Amino acid sequence: QVSETTVDRDIDTSHMQVSKTEVAIDVVNMHKWYGDFHVLRDINLRVMKGERIVIAGPSGSGKSTLIRCINRLEEHQEGQIIVNGTELTADLKRIDEVRREVGMVFQHFNLFPHLTILQNLTLAPIWVRGIPKAEAEATAMHYLERVKIPEQANKFPGQLSGGQQQRVAIARSLCMQPEIMLFDEPTSALDPEMVKEVLEVMISLAEDGMTMICVTHEMGFARQVANRVIFMDQGQIIEENEPEAFFSNPQHERTKLFLSQIL
Ligand code: ADP
Ligand code: MG
């Protein structure tokens, strides 16, 4: 299921500024267990503002668990996770603030089927952030234009294609004006012809300087857009490198094996 979709234009990453001093996410000696199962083992990952990180690795290696910990959808048990300067602890009030700053897009779009696209986009801004309806709708339309489907605003999710629904899910995250976006295999549930339209939206976010962590098997996207590729296996980060070096000169046997499936 690893694939090499490429977009049709050259992507110039030279202007995608990565801060040398501002840390967006810092994961330090982090461990997590599900019951007795040691799912994440001593994870160390520092993400600077403006970085575009791709996380790859076999199924079951802990990729989803790692990014779910960063958004506090899962709790870690040892070590630290610091997001925009706030350490994720059991202090729930601050966790809500952190969640607002970190958008997440899942494999399955998780749109509310009985609400229109516009209602899906304005629900959290109105009820969680207390933004007036008219303003929330204006913001929603702005981001629907951003993902190139403003004409779908009054339809229901079931009337849209999978690619369109995933673009709505991305727009919904953007409506909360996050500083960091986490993507968990956003294209793996899509028919092949819809992968590109979603990758295009992710690329345009990168071009705007969004800090992004993307779990994806789209190695074309990793080559074109990531500034760092991280490879996980069995709950550990076993290799990380710039895409060029990661693909041309993998260091570990398990990375070579993984890449041999696509090259
Ligand atoms: P990946 O995203 O790399 O496929 P996951 O993070 O989903 O990996 O899962 C890592 C491991 O943790 C797998 O062995 C999976 O079965 C296990 N796991 C995931 N979620 C849970 C859970 N809620 N309870 C128990 N085990 C889980
Ligand atoms: Mg996963």
Side-chain angles (χ1 to χ4, degrees), residues 34 37 39 57-66 74 184-185 215:
Y34 287 122
F37 177 52
V39 59
S59 179
S61 56
K63 306 178 299 294
S64 294
T65 303
L66 173 58
E74 296 285 351
D184 192 359
E185 301 199 31
V215 175

